[in-house]
Amino acid sequence: MKYTEEHEWLRPEDDLIVVGITEHAAEQLGDIVFIELPEEGDEIAKDDEAVVIESVKAASEILAPIDGEIVEVNSALVENPGQVNDDPQGDGWFFKIKPADPSQLDDYMDEAAYKKMIG
Amino acid sequence: MTDLKRVPLHDLHVELGAKMVPFAGYEMPVQYPLGVLKEHLHTRGKAGLFDVSHMGQVLLRGADAARALERLIPMDVAGLGVGRQRYGFFTNETGGILDDLMFANRGDHLFLVVNAACKDADIAHLRAALEPEVSVEVVTDRALLAVQGPAAEAALASLAAEVAGMRFMDVADVTLAGAACWVSRSGYTGEDGYEISVPVGAAEALARALLDHEAVEPIGLGARDSLRLEAGLCLYGHDITTETTPVEAGLTWAIQKARRAGGAREGGFPGAGVILEELADGPALRRVGLMPEGRAPMREGVALFAASEGGDPVGTITSGGFGPSVGGPVAMGYVSADYAGGDALLYGEVRGRRHPVRIAPMPFVPSNFKR
């Protein structure tokens, strides 16, 4: 498991990377009421806007942490965006991406470093 | 948050786990551990306790205070009975709105509640226009609490049974937590409820007594905003400003007959020419309710178009977000009068794409007042 400074988590699953936001991020955002996911098959580049999240407070964009192809999205979130608050690191995942360059993951933090960052 | 003022119940909010944020110069609770969504639903289902002590409380005293206040607001103040309250707004010379307020006839004086962000300007405005014939006293030794929701009556009546007999917009002196409180049956949620001006020394005891009631949870400013939005109530600085007239805002119900053309005390308030003319001829823009057809919230500033592509904007959203009781996005805004009054389909531009949004009647949830 890797973590970004933008509070995303990246979990390797076979040759794919599952991406979501951390519990800390979900708590900071507050109740999530709307999610716009990328399309399966989209080719995205690192730092492209991948997901739009609207909470009761505001809209936020989630940027793609790595280059690759979106292979699967968690379409259950469209009808049930609160799943991200309920289980951000489980059922609240956003998408699975096939990395173009798996070494991009090396730039990110491990759990200990992430925990240190959020204090 | 060093330059921010604190409300008398600050320590209680912190103890209750509130997230405190800067708001209108105060540190205010935006939400408690329950979270905005559940706080909202709890208020509609049972009852919520709100601390609105940041708002301004002002007393006007003088033989003809009511007539004097009529020089600043287009409301029938002189005709307001003792023990009754009305909604109103200060207007400017161009017919815009300087602030909105509640004013009550408490017998030998008027009691005003004004918005926190505007209170210094409102007080200066009142003093400049009314003194010395009317004394303008700023109340600084009282907190202001609101208890709102279908169980608000049961909760407050458990402390003072007589509040059950009050009707919507009644005001009364009620002893609560051993202190002389000024209670009105009103609020800003679309639900039944009360607003309570309580001496600072008794505020915490009163708040704790209300929170001890099984139906009552503390509710932050986040849910207060979504509750008032669903109720179709304006937020000053957003839905009504110095640039919007009361006629455009659809607040003409608050301008009583006595102050309109042909009324006993027609005009005589700032901007009367503009406002009375608009009342007769209709405004160019109107505030309307808006229901996005998709799930994406449309927030303040979203431009509205008549078509899914091309053309100039026909309106703008002034407040919008997710309505927890509606279960979807709701908004309000101003549109060209041609589109108001029906259920026209417009398009709101969010993140560069236009999404359908329909003009809809407000409130978005049925009001629940005790008339």
Side-chain angles (χ1 to χ4, degrees):
Chain A
M1 198 90 144
K2 291 281 193 176
Y3 297 84
T4 75
E5 286 181 9
E6 309 296 317
H7 307 281
E8 291 153 283
W9 52 260
L10 294 85
R11 188 180 69 227
E13 187 182 283
D14 302 324
D15 60 341
L16 304 179
I17 304 295
V18 190
V19 179
I21 56 168
T22 65
E23 197 164 332
H24 173 78
E27 202 179 298
Q28 292 297 311
L29 287 168
D31 302 306
I32 293 167
V33 296
F34 171 78
I35 292 183
E36 192 175 292
L37 294 165
E39 303 266 337
E40 289 175 1
D42 280 358
E43 291 281 350
I44 55 173
K46 183 171 183 288
D47 295 338
D48 280 356
E49 180 190 301
V51 177
V52 175
I53 295 185
E54 297 247 10
S55 75
V56 287
K57 296 172 197 161
S60 335
E61 278 102 46
I62 304 295
L63 305 181
I66 55 174
D67 303 335
E69 182 196 342
I70 302 291
V71 175
E72 192 181 340
V73 299
N74 188 3
S75 48
L77 298 182
V78 174
E79 283 302 311
N80 200 359
Q83 221 163 285
V84 178
N85 296 108
D86 296 340
D87 191 9
Q89 297 188 210
D91 288 346
W93 63 276
F94 291 150
F95 55 83
K96 296 181 184 178
I97 183 168
K98 189 176 172 61
D101 173 9
S103 75
Q104 284 181 322
L105 266 77
D106 300 342
D107 301 342
Y108 291 119
M109 292 174 274
D110 61 14
E111 188 174 354
Y114 177 71
K115 281 194 166 156
K116 195 173 166 199
M117 185 188 90
I118 61 173
Chain B
M1 296 201 275
T2 46
D3 294 336
L4 296 172
K5 288 178 267 191
R6 288 186 169 183
V7 289
L9 294 180
H10 181 88
D11 292 351
L12 177 61
H13 298 311
V14 171
E15 179 189 319
L16 292 169
K19 183 176 173 193
M20 304 299 283
V21 300
F23 183 85
Y26 286 80
E27 269 183 80
M28 295 299 290
V30 67
Q31 66 175 79
Y32 296 87
L34 204 53
V36 176
L37 206 65
K38 288 185 180 134
E39 289 173 29
H40 176 115
L41 295 171
H42 185 88
T43 304
R44 291 241 190 277
K46 291 184 175 174
L49 178 68
F50 302 75
D51 183 359
V52 288
S53 301
H54 57 315
M55 297 184 81
Q57 304 182 55
V58 181
L59 304 180
L60 302 184
R61 290 181 202 276
D64 230 345
R67 289 291 190 97
L69 181 58
E70 288 189 354
R71 299 204 297 264
L72 298 182
I73 70 175
M75 282 74 222
D76 178 359
V77 188
L80 179 66
V82 174
R84 295 288 293 163
Q85 174 176 267
R86 274 183 177 147
Y87 172 77
F89 30 80
F90 295 106
T91 51
N92 67 16
E93 291 299 336
T94 55
I97 300 174
L98 293 168
D99 192 13
D100 62 346
L101 76 152
M102 297 297 260
F103 60 97
N105 180 348
R106 290 184 30 85
D108 65 350
H109 64 276
L110 296 171
F111 175 49
L112 277 51
V113 176
V114 301
N115 282 303
C118 303
K119 67 182 175 185
D120 292 343
D122 292 344
I123 291 159
H125 185 55
L126 285 163
R127 289 197 198 287
L130 307 185
E131 284 182 341
E133 96 186 73
V134 170
S135 84
V136 178
E137 292 172 35
V138 182
V139 178
T140 55
D141 56 355
R142 285 179 169 260
L144 193 67
L145 305 181
V147 54
Q148 301 277 297
E153 180 185 287
L156 195 60
S158 73
L159 306 179
E162 69 263 39
V163 300
M166 295 174 71
R167 289 176 304 134
F168 183 59
M169 296 297 232
D170 275 353
V171 295
D173 289 303
V174 180
T175 301
L176 293 163
C181 295
W182 310 333
V183 176
S184 72
R185 192 151 198 171
S186 60
Y188 191 49
T189 59
E191 298 298 325
D192 181 27
Y194 303 86
E195 292 190 334
I196 308 159
S197 173
V198 51
V200 162
E204 187 179 331
L206 175 59
R208 287 188 191 276
L210 286 165
L211 291 169
D212 279 346
H213 193 279
E214 50 88 21
V216 180
E217 290 286 343
I219 310 296
L221 293 182
R224 184 169 163 84
D225 189 53
S226 55
L227 288 158
R228 71 88 199 166
L229 174 62
E230 282 185 342
L233 299 169
C234 292
L235 176 60
Y236 188 79
H238 300 260
D239 309 306
I240 48 177
T241 69
T242 53
E243 305 297 315
T244 61
T245 70
V247 187
E248 291 170 335
L251 299 175
T252 54
W253 57 268
I255 305 175
Q256 287 79 20
K257 207 173 155 189
R259 308 303 307 281
R260 297 189 181 207
R265 296 184 307 288
E266 169 184 336
F269 51 86
V274 176
I275 291 169
L276 295 183
E277 191 182 310
E278 261 191 12
L279 262 172
D281 300 343
L285 297 173
R286 283 187 191 275
R287 184 174 64 95
V288 294
L290 294 155
M291 292 198 81
E293 302 224 309
R295 297 183 65 104
M298 293 188 189
R299 298 183 192 270
E300 180 175 4
V302 164
L304 299 168
F305 295 85
S308 60
E309 278 176 48
D312 293 324
V314 297
T316 313
I317 286 179
T318 51
S319 277
F322 183 76
S325 301
V326 170
V330 289
M332 65 173 89
Y334 285 82
V335 299
S336 166
D338 306 342
Y339 297 96
D343 62 349
L345 188 67
L346 300 176
Y347 295 85
E349 195 164 284
V350 181
R351 292 178 283 271
R353 291 215 303 264
R354 292 190 193 174
H355 300 273
V357 52
R358 198 171 286 282
I359 293 180
M362 291 189 286
F364 297 108
V365 294
S367 308
N368 188 18
F369 304 132
K370 187 167 173 185
R371 300 274 182 191

